[in-house]
Amino acid sequence: MALDTTALNRQMTHFDGHDEIWLFGYGSLIWKVDFAYLERRPASIHGWSRRFWQGSHDHRGTPEAPGRVATLVRDPGAVCHGMAYRITPEVLAPLDVREKNGYLREVVALHFTDSDSAEGLIYLATEDNAAFLGDAPLDAIAAQIARAHGPSGANRDYLLNLAEALRALRVEDSHVFALARRLA
Ligand code: BEZ
């Protein structure tokens, strides 16, 4: 199932008038940086966990055989580590298109690893979007990822690239690393 969220994301007015916006990457944005940024800083967001619960029918799978990619789920007390990018607002338009399959912009508090905090954006695929697959046993999630391929390549590469990028940031993510072990 697919839902094109591009138009919905363009209606977001929260950062209207801002010259710069912080964008927090927790998935492909950590390792696939094909957009211009002014600065990047390791950061975290609190109360969220990264999960491979979003279906990918357009990038890492197909409508007939969807892959699984990362989204965030609310998880009180949890901390999700990633990378924050300071960008100009024009950068969002192509990202809205790239991540159009169910992801909506959401405003969050970012905590930079080395000090302060700021308001920023995430792309979030919630459980009410048509491409959401949700939880499943880790072995089943890993098997689905191992099988899936799409226009952007093998689903396993998305997962293994993310695991490698998180290791380079020296952060722990038991869900991602447990899946990566099953696929390595
Ligand atoms: C990210 O890397 O933060 C991201 C994940 C899913 C969709 C868009 C961005």
Side-chain angles (χ1 to χ4, degrees), residues 72-105:
L72 295 169
V73 294
R74 288 189 194 274
D75 189 359
V79 176
C80 177
H81 295 273
M83 186 64 81
Y85 300 88
R86 188 161 58 85
I87 58 170
T88 57
E90 309 79 68
V91 171
L92 291 174
L95 287 175
D96 286 345
V97 174
R98 170 176 141 183
E99 306 299 347
K100 66 182 187 304
N101 191 20
Y103 288 95
L104 287 170
R105 299 182 196 170

Side-chain angles (χ1 to χ4, degrees), residues 23-31 54 69-72 83 85 95 98-99 103 121-125 158 162:
L23 171 66
F24 178 78
Y26 60 88
S28 61
L29 294 183
I30 301 183
W31 56 269
Q54 174 69 359
V69 288
T71 186
L72 295 169
M83 186 64 81
Y85 300 88
L95 287 175
R98 170 176 141 183
E99 306 299 347
Y103 288 95
L121 268 184
I122 54 173
Y123 282 97
L124 178 66
Y158 176 109
L162 177 59

Side-chain angles (χ1 to χ4, degrees), residues 8-111:
L8 288 172
N9 278 322
R10 291 197 179 148
Q11 286 168 19
M12 190 211 213
T13 56
H14 187 85
F15 289 106
D16 279 5
H18 289 226
D19 297 335
E20 297 174 356
I21 300 169
W22 281 101
L23 171 66
F24 178 78
Y26 60 88
S28 61
L29 294 183
I30 301 183
W31 56 269
K32 188 173 182 204
V33 190
D34 57 1
F35 55 90
Y37 61 88
L38 305 167
E39 178 189 359
R40 71 173 165 184
R41 293 169 73 183
S44 59
I45 56 175
H46 296 181
W48 297 93
S49 285
R50 182 175 13 236
R51 292 287 180 267
F52 274 78
W53 289 4
Q54 174 69 359
S56 179
H57 308 74
D58 54 349
H59 282 297
R60 300 285 167 172
T62 61
E64 298 72 36
R68 277 180 177 257
V69 288
T71 186
L72 295 169
V73 294
R74 288 189 194 274
D75 189 359
V79 176
C80 177
H81 295 273
M83 186 64 81
Y85 300 88
R86 188 161 58 85
I87 58 170
T88 57
E90 309 79 68
V91 171
L92 291 174
L95 287 175
D96 286 345
V97 174
R98 170 176 141 183
E99 306 299 347
K100 66 182 187 304
N101 191 20
Y103 288 95
L104 287 170
R105 299 182 196 170
E106 171 105 3
V107 179
V108 291
L110 306 184
H111 302 272

